Amino acid sequence: MTSETNSAARKVRSGVSHTLLVIVAIVFLGPLVYAVSTSLKPADEVFTPTPHLFGSEIRWKNYADAFTFAPFDRYFLNSLFVAVAGTLVVVAASSLSAYAFARLKFRGREQLFVLFLGTLMVPQEVLIVPMYWLMQSLGWVDSYWALILPWAFTAFGTFLLRQFFLTVPAELEEAARVDGCGPFGSFFRIMLPLARPAIAVLTVFTFISFWGSFLWPLIIINSVEDKGTVPLGLAQFVGQQGTQWNLMMAASIMAMIPTVLLVVLLQKHLVRGLLVTGLGGR
């Protein structure tokens, strides 16, 4: 009788959990469904007194019209270049600095790391003006250098990878040194291969950050038609004659594709990385 009662209680708890998960999934997927629905409607049927999921016709042509309304192929290439290059620089710089803070012994290491982490408490908006002056003095305004380098060195990436490097047993490095590996040999042959899950997490977060950045490109890029990124391109749909919501939603859906593909490709390492780095909500 007791086992039957426990089994029934487990089924009830499982049913409640699944119901809550479905409700949360619907809440999160609602805006995405609305965006897809709007991207397939005629312009004059986006806002109607009675909301409908679909319009009088499904206009796949909106996706092609988004490219003729603005040079989105150029914006996509610019964003892809900036996001990939920025991610590579962030991963390289963060992994090297994380290894130094985790494994190398030097005077003031802990104090320097605390100061390094202190930069996380500075809002990016505070850095906009001094960063613009620096870019202007270097002659990098309206260039790809200005889009990539100012945000390519983050304390978050260093902290994330350092926490992972600290979990690697020191015996592995000692064995590598017995075999003749120096610090760089241990880093490239031992640490980096083991850190693939944590690097996958940092890669996804960094790529999304560069891909979705709007404020800094808006300030530093003057020739939007030539060096503009996707977020700046989406702003082109807002004009004095009104906003082309259906084309904007079509362009927004297409802008999601690279980040979704990246998450799918790195899903295996990403899940493990979220668990071992403590970002999985444990």
Side-chain angles (χ1 to χ4, degrees):
M1 185 67 180
T2 304
S3 62
E4 292 178 358
T5 304
N6 292 336
S7 177
R10 281 197 298 272
K11 288 181 180 179
V12 170
R13 285 197 296 269
S14 177
V16 172
S17 300
H18 283 81
T19 303
L20 289 176
L21 288 174
V22 169
I23 293 174
V24 171
I26 291 174
V27 169
F28 276 90
L29 287 176
L32 178 61
V33 172
Y34 180 77
V36 174
S37 168
T38 303
S39 71
L40 297 173
K41 289 180 179 178
D44 57 349
E45 297 181 18
V46 172
F47 298 107
T48 55
T50 304
H52 295 284
L53 189 58
F54 299 106
S56 58
E57 60 173 321
I58 297 178
R59 286 180 60 90
W60 296 102
K61 189 172 178 293
N62 287 340
Y63 285 82
D65 291 344
F67 279 92
T68 57
F69 189 89
F72 255 89
D73 50 349
R74 183 68 185 178
Y75 297 150
F76 267 88
L77 288 175
N78 289 337
S79 281
L80 199 60
F81 173 72
V82 170
V84 171
T87 301
L88 290 176
V89 175
V90 167
V91 170
S94 299
S95 58
L96 285 168
S97 58
Y99 179 73
F101 281 123
R103 293 300 190 184
L104 302 185
K105 295 180 180 178
F106 53 90
R107 181 176 296 178
R109 184 184 69 172
E110 299 302 324
Q111 293 80 357
L112 183 60
F113 183 65
V114 170
L115 289 175
F116 197 55
L117 287 184
T119 60
L120 288 174
M121 293 185 287
V122 181
Q124 288 191 350
E125 289 76 8
V126 176
L127 302 175
I128 291 293
V129 173
M131 201 70 76
Y132 184 86
W133 285 347
L134 178 61
M135 295 297 106
Q136 194 173 37
S137 63
L138 294 173
W140 287 357
V141 173
D142 197 30
S143 71
Y144 293 117
W145 296 107
L147 287 173
I148 298 171
L149 291 183
W151 313 108
F153 306 96
T154 65
F156 170 74
T158 301
F159 174 75
L160 181 72
L161 294 181
R162 176 183 177 270
Q163 297 307 106
F164 181 83
F165 287 151
L166 289 175
T167 64
V168 178
E171 289 78 9
L172 284 176
E173 275 192 293
E174 293 171 0
R177 287 174 185 170
V178 169
D179 291 337
C181 279
F184 279 102
S186 300
F187 172 71
F188 285 108
R189 296 181 181 180
I190 306 296
M191 289 300 190
L192 275 187
L194 291 175
R196 277 181 295 189
I199 291 176
V201 174
L202 180 60
T203 298
V204 170
F205 283 1
T206 307
F207 186 90
I208 292 175
S209 176
F210 274 103
W211 185 266
S213 177
F214 176 74
L215 180 60
W216 180 246
L218 177 67
I219 293 172
I220 205 67
I221 294 300
N222 299 325
S223 54
V224 177
E225 297 288 328
D226 185 35
K227 296 186 177 66
T229 55
V230 169
L232 295 183
L234 292 177
Q236 304 288 315
F237 293 105
V238 181
Q240 294 182 351
Q241 304 301 322
T243 301
Q244 300 292 327
W245 290 105
N246 55 341
L247 302 185
M248 177 186 282
M249 290 299 111
S252 300
I253 296 299
M254 290 187 287
M256 293 170 54
I257 294 175
T259 54
V260 172
L261 288 178
L262 182 65
V263 171
V264 171
L265 288 174
L266 297 179
Q267 184 179 14
K268 178 182 175 183
H269 296 300
L270 186 62
V271 172
R272 184 163 176 262
L274 289 172
L275 292 175
V276 298
T277 57
L279 296 179
R282 290 187 306 171

